[in-house]
Amino acid sequence: MSDFNTYFLMKEPDVIDYVQAKLSYFDADAPLACKEIGDGNLNYVFRVWDERSGRSIIVKQAGEHLRISDKMTLTTDRGRIEASILKLQGALCPGLVPEVYLYDGVMCAMIMEDMIGHTMMRTGLIHHEIYPKFPEQISTFLVNSLLMTTDIVMDHQKRKALVREFTNPELCDITENLVFGEPLLDYNGRNDVFPPVRDFVEREIYGDEELRAEVARLKFRFMNHAQSLIHGDLHTGSVFINKDHTFVFDPEFAFFGPMGYDIGNVIANLFFAWANGNATIDAPAERARFCGWCMCAILEIVDLFKEKFCRLYDEQVTEPLARSEEFKQSYLADIMADTAGYAGTECIRRIVGMAHNKDITVIEDMAKRASAEKILLTFAKDLILHQRQFQTANDYYRAMEDAIRAIEPDNPLIGPKKTILDYDTVALDDEQHALVIIDQTKLPSRIEILSLTAQEDIWDAIYLLKVRGAPAIGVAAAIGIYLAAREIAEGTADASGQAASAGQTATGQTASAGRPVTDYEEFLRRFREASAYLNSSRPTAVNLSWALQRMENVVLAHKGDSVAQIVAALHDEALAIREEDILVCQSIGKYGLSLVKPGDGLLTHCNAGQLATVKYGTATAPMYLGQEKGYHFKVYCDETRPLLQGARLTSFELFSAGLDVTLLCDNMSASLMREGKIQAVFVGCDRVAKNGDTANKIGTSMAALAAKRYGVPFYVCAPTSTIDMSTATGDDIVIEQRKPEEVTDMWYEKPMTAPGVKVYNPAFDVTGHDLITGIVTEFGIAYPPYEESFQEIFLKKQIRDTVQRMMKDMDIK
């Protein structure tokens, strides 16, 4: 029996003697048994148990060589680092890390709590077990262990001492080679590529210079960004788990590095589990159950991490300069970008490098394994090449779907591909009492759905063009003011900060916020204040004021009713405005389609498409209806400087719908007209004056002038809600002036003008009525002289409205 005063690599009998000599955990006469259970690449792990009582412990010894290669020598000091870090993590994350009983620097061995009743997570996932509490518990571990060891929270001098203590150069060198270097370049000849995917790897990984450059950036960030004390190897083999509890262990690779490395490793390994389930589970229901859980776990971890991070940040921040919401959000955005990049490098290294993932190697069907590896590599490239776009759970869901669809287009787990046209531009979520919109500032790079409840957020969404287009703004305003009315009635309205963006006085709701309002006069006063606040967000779009006035008319018409009944009527009116917009656009499309013929070339400016309405659009409605009839239009789309609504939105939605669309700069349309390639121009509008002058996105009048010169019909598509008979001419339309940065900075890495240069940036221009061939409404086409035509249009509308009221009074459906 050794006295264990000199290092040697222990075998199972040695471990029993070692435990009896070093720790008074078992009875002196306990019948002990031992088994080596490690399946990692570095250390030797033994379970020692009392065959009589069943009590057990774990002994972990650091070897001097990598288990998978005698040629790779390692410092045994990593055992000290691991033991120290487990103690630190145990203090930060109580209950989520096993207890360390002893560390022996001579034998480089640690005796620790046995995670009895738990299974290695990778083993459980390969058997398609589901762990419902894992997202909640691993997100707590990640936030507490990572954020609490940053300069944001820790005393800077104490933290610097920890950085020195946990410098881990040899194991970092392994990561730098096996994770970042070799998988991309194979400079040591140790990559182990599955033969059926060798050509795919050569083309998509080895042959992609942009990918190599991004991985190089990630490697240097890993080496130089001492952000937080990270686990350094947090995969499903470093987690022991059961249905109720999670243990994180094996932090021998720990050092101060970027937080996203740990978070990304967790995400990547869950997608490995998805790939295994997709390839090996035959029963459709069981495959959907397990794979669905894997995907949902990834999304939950992303959401929970962000939520808990922000909460703990606010509670624990000590650095004075970090006490800023703007800094916090920027800091978090960088973490999320790192997370995506490092999730990608983990996927690539486990497929291409020497240390494979068992989730994939146990797939026996060669074709299914090859498909799984291609999906993972496709996902990885998206993550790495577009790191900064991965900020939300939805971004990961989109990337996973795209990767699966690229390799297995008929995979039943993902269903048919959704386009932008499958989402509601603007809608009411009755369950959450929220305005739901597509954030159009994020298009076309990603589709992000916003659920807005606060009036300030709704105001911002309109002003910042997250929702835009006159009809969509009108619907958003109707839903927004209904939500405000509901809050006023229930006493939940909060006006704090509400008018900050507008530079106005707050709406005055604070005084009575917190108590329900039942008095009609008080309700009306506060309703009008909230309405005026929303109306200030975009002064040019007449649909905004039109919708708000229509909603106020409902309040006035129900003066004798209770406030609760008025709120219910406002709810119905908001939905009616939304449904009417769909019918209006359909009708405009039918009238517009009568003006063109199959095969025509059509020009449009800005976005008066589905993204500017609830459905179909105004200027694009003839195009969509023509596509349904097989007209095969050739659509030309102005980019629409400076905000590029044509490039970002119109071309995106028309292309998604399968139309033949060509993008061009705003100064190119005259050239196409001269060549005879454009037979008609269709544009939307934000306001039409009594004489037919029309305000629309800046650049519209330039297109109208060119159309007049070359004899091309120029049509404005205008719901009657945008025709303002109280505005005599275009000279009376207030034109919104926007920030100069939209011209100088928005689409450039650096400002594209010299400092101090003045900028003229009106949001709209006015196209004179003499340049407009016709104005297409839901009640027909108005031709010059427009004031007379509008009278006929509004007479038709009046007749329609009268008939509808009569039918409603008689309860006729």
Side-chain angles (χ1 to χ4, degrees), residues 662-690:
T662 300
L663 180 67
L664 57 146
C665 296
D666 297 352
N667 55 3
M668 297 176 180
S669 58
S671 176
L672 287 172
M673 293 178 192
R674 186 175 185 277
E675 294 174 9
K677 293 183 177 179
I678 294 176
Q679 280 69 52
V681 181
F682 285 98
V683 299
C685 64
D686 288 78
R687 188 180 294 243
V688 179
K690 185 177 181 180

Side-chain angles (χ1 to χ4, degrees), residues 286 288 305 319 329 472 632 681:
E286 174 62 17
F305 176 85
E319 164 57 46
Q329 293 302 328
H632 302 295
V681 181

